[in-house]
Amino acid sequence: MLTQPTLLLNKEKCLANIERMANKARESKAVFRPHFKTHQSATIGNWFRDYGVECITVSSVKMAVYFAEQGWSDISIAFPANIREWPVINMLAAKINLNIVVESQETILFLEKHLSHPVGTYIKTDTGYGRTGIPAEDYAAMQALLKPLKTCKNLIFIGFLCHAGHTYETSSPSEIQSILDSSRQQLLALKTFMAHDFPLIQLSYGDTPSCSIANNFEDFDELRPGNCVFYDDTQASLGACSIDDIAVAMACPVVALHPERHQVIVHGGAVHFSKDSLTKNGKIHYGTVIRLNDLHWDTGQTLGHITKLSQEHGTITLLPEHINQVKIGDMLAILPIHSCLTANLMKGYTTNTNEKLSMMP
């Protein structure tokens, strides 16, 4: 019996999500290199193997070590290399095919000097997101980075890697498709410009909304979506998935009732969900509330939304017709806004068959 906040996982939905994305990559003749930062689980990682996945993406050196210990031998760390971690990077590079991401000459020169084992190297490329990376149109900056890479013995230049995270700021699938198309053209132009010196340049693209909505990934050598393994309320709101594709839900116990304001309090706060939010009809919410029956949730009817989060408390505003249907001690299911952050906070899953799955410590 569930007694406290628990992250539930529907295995069938999860497997269907993996299969769908693996098939898309295969049809476009691109390598599916899924980002494992979403689930961070050895067991879930192994599910990908059944769909032909042999290489993965992670977001930290620590995560690369964890999955290397689980038998993954081709890992990309899709986060700007932290030179302070060079000894662990070097240790990993001695055992597996390791790829890193750079975006400064300082990083390139430092790692080339300190590493003794070769690592594949991508240049972090910004195609419009604006978070970090070298702007794709800044050919001078790219050439400045490629100049030392030409003579490096330990940093083996592979190509350009981007994350089109600005798809999360869109309001329609057509906008998402436009970002994908724009990113593709920017990367192709960059590849063409640098082809004389580096004729084998590869293009690595990662972003769940566009990888979910689009079907044509021609010109990309690999796809790195991560959130597609679970999806979440944000992906559904963007049109990247249906609400029935969401493979995780938080089960939270009702601890207090406030029918006069159409609200109930659950044990489930920011330490369980994070404080990522969505704005719908001008109102902010932190998750969609639906019915829970044992370990199974029902997406057929929305009961309300989490409208306020503190550390442990979640305030749910119920639709008026449901306020008298909820009582203290009930367990409600909440579709998270951001499944990656929720999973990272919860550190484990309970499947719909009551199997307990652990995550990276």
Side-chain angles (χ1 to χ4, degrees):
M1 181 177 71
L2 299 176
T3 61
Q4 57 188 345
T6 303
L7 184 55
L8 303 179
L9 170 62
N10 185 300
K11 183 176 180 179
E12 289 74 24
K13 292 183 179 183
C14 182
L15 293 177
N17 292 340
I18 295 171
E19 182 177 24
R20 187 183 310 114
M21 196 60 67
N23 287 341
K24 281 194 174 194
R26 188 178 302 110
E27 289 165 4
S28 289
K29 296 180 173 55
V31 172
F32 182 30
R33 186 186 285 273
H35 207 318
F36 276 17
K37 74 178 177 66
T38 299
H39 61 80
Q40 299 182 43
S41 164
T43 300
I44 297 173
N46 283 333
W47 295 349
F48 282 82
R49 297 183 192 274
D50 294 334
Y51 298 94
V53 173
E54 298 178 349
C55 48
I56 65 172
T57 308
V58 298
S59 57
S60 68
V61 171
K62 178 182 178 182
M63 198 178 299
V65 170
Y66 171 76
F67 282 108
E69 291 172 348
Q70 306 304 318
W72 293 94
S73 59
D74 192 330
I75 302 175
S76 292
I77 305 173
F79 188 89
N82 174 9
I83 61 174
R84 288 178 176 268
E85 294 184 290
W86 77 263
V88 185
I89 293 172
N90 197 48
M91 177 272 292
L92 279 169
K95 298 178 179 179
I96 67 169
N97 178 35
L98 181 70
N99 303 317
I100 62 171
V101 173
V102 300
E103 58 175 276
S104 71
Q105 289 198 45
E106 292 87 346
T107 298
I108 292 170
L109 296 175
F110 181 94
L111 292 178
E112 174 64 14
K113 178 181 178 180
H114 287 80
L115 297 179
S116 56
H117 300 283
V119 296
T121 304
Y122 287 100
I123 292 179
K124 177 70 171 179
T125 306
D126 180 12
T127 60
Y129 186 21
R131 180 173 64 182
T132 191
I134 306 300
E137 300 91 345
D138 192 343
Y139 292 180
M142 289 293 185
Q143 286 179 314
L145 291 184
L146 287 169
K147 184 175 180 180
L149 284 173
K150 285 183 182 179
T151 57
C152 283
K153 295 181 179 179
N154 293 317
L155 300 187
I156 312 302
F157 177 63
I158 299 174
F160 303 105
L161 176 148
C162 83
H163 171 62
H166 42 319
T167 57
Y168 287 88
E169 302 165 7
T170 60
S171 58
S172 70
S174 62
E175 287 184 72
I176 294 172
Q177 181 67 55
S178 294
I179 287 174
L180 169 64
D181 294 338
S182 173
S183 296
R184 188 198 325 255
Q185 293 307 312
Q186 290 177 69
L187 291 173
L188 281 174
L190 184 58
K191 178 179 180 177
T192 301
F193 186 77
M194 304 296 177
H196 180 267
D197 292 323
F198 297 93
L200 301 178
I201 287 173
Q202 295 187 23
L203 304 179
S204 177
Y205 182 85
D207 164 59
T208 287
S210 56
C211 286
S212 299
I213 286 171
N215 291 305
N216 177 14
F217 303 100
E218 186 180 355
D219 302 313
F220 294 125
D221 295 284
E222 64 178 28
L223 302 177
R224 308 183 330 275
N227 190 282
C228 62
V229 66
F230 293 155
Y231 289 116
D232 51 34
D233 215 355
T234 295
Q235 300 290 345
S237 72
L238 289 169
C241 70
S242 75
I243 193 171
D244 288 326
D245 294 324
I246 301 175
V248 289
M250 279 288 294
C252 295
V254 176
V255 297
L257 303 177
H258 297 280
E260 72 283 358
R261 59 179 194 241
H262 294 166
Q263 290 181 338
V264 302
I265 305 299
V266 293
H267 182 199
V271 297
H272 307 99
F273 288 96
S274 86
K275 281 202 171 182
D276 272 20
S277 64
L278 278 175
T279 300
K280 189 174 183 179
N281 299 323
K283 296 181 179 180
I284 294 176
H285 76 85
Y286 302 88
T288 296
V289 184
I290 52 180
R291 296 188 187 280
L292 183 66
N293 180 19
D294 192 19
L295 300 176
H296 305 272
W297 60 90
D298 179 9
T299 59
Q301 190 175 51
T302 296
L303 303 184
H305 296 89
I306 297 181
T307 50
K308 184 179 180 181
L309 283 176
S310 53
Q311 183 165 331
E312 299 280 350
H313 298 69
T315 300
I316 291 175
T317 299
L318 293 171
L319 297 172
E321 60 267 30
H322 300 304
I323 188 60
N324 294 321
Q325 299 171 7
V326 177
K327 61 183 184 297
I328 288 177
D330 283 352
M331 296 291 290
L332 296 176
I334 296 100
L335 301 177
I337 297 296
H338 190 168
S339 61
C340 305
L341 291 182
T342 301
N344 184 66
L345 289 167
M346 294 304 295
K347 300 301 182 186
Y349 311 90
T350 296
T351 72
N352 53 325
T353 56
N354 204 29
E355 180 183 3
K356 303 297 189 292
L357 306 184
S358 62
M359 292 173 60
M360 182 182 80

